[in-house]
């Protein structure tokens, strides 16, 4: 089985988690970059509004073709109890190409809703989901949960 880990990260936590997953699985990864400046309070507010309104951000063209992988593992920060707008864009853009999906989210509160939304966009039930909340950061940015998640994915 070959895996691709895809994630968006505004402040670095989802990137760290995504990198840990791809390091442990020894698989490819793809970071989603969007074209908007999301720095500071104004960036935070506009990001929250985009997520509330279910908007899609303008993202850079991804490098990897998801159709070439058996499982796409998609990670998002939780924004306004939902999926972030750059990840929403990625999912809409590629949803026809996914064989199987798994999801992870950082932030915690609202991740169940984010996963439901992501599954709906893809039209697929995820093989596994994982949330890394702020309290998990003390444990090596959630490394115990990440290892359990990988076991579940490989099962
Ligand atoms: C616009 C915005 C909305 C957010 N909404 C939530 C939320 O609803 N629930 C939550 O637990 N965290 C929320 N957060 C916190 C982020 O999900 C959390 O800090 C996340 O780990 C950041 O990931 P990143 O470092 O990869 O960007 C929000 C952050 C932003 C910027």
């Amino acid at each position: 089985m070959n895996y691709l880990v895809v994630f968006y990260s505004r402040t670095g936590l989802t990137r760290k988690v995504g990198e840990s997953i791809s390091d442990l699985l020894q698989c490819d990864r793809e970071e989603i970059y969007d074209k908007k400046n999301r720095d500071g309070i104004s960036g935070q507010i506009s990001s929250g509004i985009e997520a509330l309104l279910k908007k899609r951000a303008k993202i850079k063209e991804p490098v990897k073709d998801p159709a070439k992988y058996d499982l796409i593992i998609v990670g998002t920060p939780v924004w306004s109890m939902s999926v972030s707008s750059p990840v929403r864009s990625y999912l809409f853009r590629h949803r026809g190409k996914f064989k199987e999906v798994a999801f992870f989210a950082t932030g915690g509160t609202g991740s169940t809703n984010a996963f439901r939304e992501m599954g709906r966009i893809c039209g697929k039930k995820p093989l596994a989901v994982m949330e890394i909340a702020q309290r998990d950061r003390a444990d090596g940015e959630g490394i115990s949960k990440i290892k359990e998640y990988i076991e579940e994915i490989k099962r």
Side-chain angles (χ1 to χ4, degrees):
M1 191 134 174
N2 65 342
Y3 308 100
L4 175 66
V5 179
V6 179
F7 56 84
Y8 168 79
S9 185
R10 177 175 167 269
T11 51
L13 180 56
T14 317
R15 180 183 304 114
K16 275 190 186 153
V17 175
E19 286 174 353
S20 296
I21 296 169
S22 69
D23 285 348
L24 288 165
L25 283 171
Q26 296 185 302
C27 71
D28 289 347
R29 60 181 173 237
E30 166 105 54
E31 180 158 359
I32 300 167
Y33 295 101
D34 79 336
K35 297 181 177 175
K36 189 166 173 168
N37 180 357
R38 295 184 187 276
D39 291 346
I41 289 289
S42 60
Q44 199 167 330
I45 291 169
S46 63
S47 300
I49 292 170
E50 281 175 23
L52 270 179
L53 299 178
K54 299 191 187 304
K55 293 221 172 189
R56 300 180 211 173
K58 287 193 173 67
I59 57 171
K60 292 190 181 156
E61 191 57 39
V63 178
K64 309 263 191 295
D65 177 3
K68 293 188 175 150
Y69 297 85
D70 300 311
L71 175 69
I72 310 294
I73 302 166
V74 185
T76 184
V78 179
W79 282 1
S80 307
M81 310 277 283
S82 192
V83 56
S84 64
S85 51
V87 172
R88 179 184 297 278
S89 291
Y90 181 89
L91 294 175
F92 268 106
R93 190 178 292 189
H94 295 293
R95 57 185 174 177
K97 300 178 192 163
F98 304 148
K99 295 187 182 98
E100 301 271 13
V101 293
F103 303 141
F104 66 96
T106 70
T109 312
S111 57
T112 306
N113 186 54
F115 296 145
R116 196 181 306 120
E117 184 73 17
M118 291 162 83
R120 201 161 38 217
I121 297 168
C122 300
K124 291 205 177 287
K125 193 173 176 304
L127 288 189
V129 297
M130 171 185 70
E131 64 160 50
I132 301 292
Q134 284 302 322
R135 64 180 172 278
D136 297 313
R137 298 198 68 167
D139 176 32
E141 314 293 10
I143 195 67
S144 309
K145 274 193 178 177
I146 292 169
K147 285 180 177 166
E148 276 174 33
Y149 179 60
I150 284 172
E151 287 309 309
E152 200 182 339
I153 283 172
K154 283 183 164 175
R155 227 173 271 146

